[in-house]
Amino acid sequence: MAAFRRTDEKYHYKWTMNETSSARISQKEWEKAKTMFDYFVGDEKTSRDEIIDRFSQNSQQYEKIMEAVNYTSPMHTAQATAELFPSNREDVFILDVAAGTGLCGEKLYYHGFRKMDALEPSTRMLDEARKKGLYSRYFIEALGENALDIANETYDAVTISAMSSMVLIKLPLEAFGELIRIVKPDGYIINTAFYDLFSDNGDDKAVSLRENMKTLEYQGKWKQMELKRFPEAAVGSDVGVSVHKVLA
């Protein structure tokens, strides 16, 4: 039985200590980890650079915090990617965006993916990822208005797992255009975040994100293939895995 549950009205996200968490850590430890998770997310006044710095300053504790709150987004991202590529996964080339310490990369590797690059703005987070030896190249860049130093149609897929919500909802249209540019036609962009950010009737703060996604679909750049929903998969809130196919 869950130890406790409450709703944070400011951010509309539910925080719960579930059975898995309660079996491993105390309520006090979970509360501390949840507070750090909140800190990573930030709020509408938190700048991208501030959020990057928060991850950097806590890079060595990051995975322990995510484990404590039973954060399963990387698992769902990797599973969705595996379903898109049922065979020859060792030949599928993936860019893991907001790669962090390589949590998603680990799950992708488990499913048989071997050709992976990482893109992450925090040097310290990437330092942790390098220790795992999962990625071939490491791009220390933030997704935004600037062009990525990556050739057109390089990857079969791009994964985005657990990018800070306050960064994701502020991404300009050009950022998604860059991802489309570097993915091969008929390739995929798999983006995992709080479900309310993707849902039409979801978080009001994510209106711009949803509009950008639809604009690129209207322009014939990509097509949303599915939006999967996983109840209470991220610190008590529903997770959404949005899959877009890049069009020729």
Side-chain angles (χ1 to χ4, degrees):
M1 183 174 65
F4 59 90
R5 177 179 303 216
R6 70 180 178 82
T7 300
D8 186 332
E9 295 180 355
K10 184 176 181 181
Y11 299 112
H12 309 293
Y13 299 137
K14 235 176 354 180
W15 306 109
T16 64
M17 183 173 181
N18 61 24
E19 294 178 8
T20 304
S21 297
S22 62
R24 292 182 287 104
I25 62 174
S26 68
Q27 178 174 317
K28 184 177 180 179
E29 289 172 321
W30 189 89
E31 278 283 353
K32 183 178 179 180
K34 189 271 297 178
T35 298
M36 285 303 301
F37 185 92
D38 258 343
Y39 181 66
F40 289 145
V41 172
D43 57 33
E44 291 175 282
K45 296 180 181 179
T46 313
S47 71
R48 182 182 69 180
D49 289 344
E50 285 179 285
I51 289 174
I52 293 170
D53 185 63
R54 291 177 181 186
F55 280 97
S56 294
Q57 295 300 323
N58 295 278
S59 58
Q60 294 184 336
Q61 292 78 40
Y62 174 76
E63 292 194 8
K64 291 182 180 179
I65 294 167
M66 295 298 105
E67 181 182 4
V69 297
N70 197 35
Y71 198 68
T72 59
S73 289
M75 177 186 71
H76 294 304
T77 305
Q79 179 62 44
T81 307
E83 291 172 1
L84 294 169
F85 298 96
S87 61
N88 301 318
R89 291 175 186 160
E90 67 277 6
D91 297 322
V92 176
F93 200 3
I94 295 174
L95 177 66
D96 189 15
V97 172
T101 60
L103 288 178
C104 186
E106 286 183 296
K107 301 302 183 183
L108 289 166
Y109 191 91
Y110 171 82
H111 284 285
F113 296 101
R114 296 293 181 268
K115 295 176 63 178
M116 297 182 287
D117 289 343
L119 187 143
E120 164 63 42
S122 168
T123 302
R124 292 186 184 179
M125 293 287 279
L126 273 188
D127 285 343
E128 297 301 311
R130 289 178 194 273
K131 297 175 184 178
K132 300 173 181 177
L134 297 169
Y135 304 106
S136 299
R137 295 186 294 176
Y138 299 82
F139 299 99
I140 305 174
E141 293 188 58
L143 192 62
E145 295 179 354
N146 297 328
L148 300 174
D149 187 21
I150 299 172
N152 294 351
E153 300 181 9
T154 296
Y155 299 102
D156 298 293
V158 162
T159 56
I160 309 171
S161 178
M163 177 183 285
S164 172
S165 300
M166 292 302 131
V167 173
L168 179 61
I169 65 175
K170 296 175 184 177
L171 285 179
L173 183 69
E174 293 84 356
F176 295 101
E178 272 297 281
L179 296 182
I180 291 170
R181 178 184 66 79
I182 63 176
V183 173
K184 300 172 185 176
D186 295 327
Y188 297 94
I189 297 173
I190 303 98
N191 189 359
T192 303
F194 290 117
Y195 180 81
D196 278 354
L197 302 185
F198 298 128
S199 173
D200 286 337
N201 298 318
D203 197 326
D204 291 342
K205 296 189 296 293
V207 170
S208 177
L209 168 67
R210 295 191 290 270
E211 288 180 347
N212 284 340
M213 294 169 66
K214 290 178 181 178
T215 295
L216 290 166
E217 187 154 0
Y218 295 149
Q219 292 176 351
K221 301 292 183 62
W222 69 3
K223 179 178 178 60
Q224 188 173 52
M225 306 302 293
E226 61 180 338
L227 175 58
K228 295 185 177 182
R229 184 173 187 170
F230 297 93
E232 299 192 16
V235 206
S237 293
D238 293 359
V239 158
V241 180
S242 177
V243 178
H244 280 80
K245 185 173 185 178
V246 174
L247 304 179

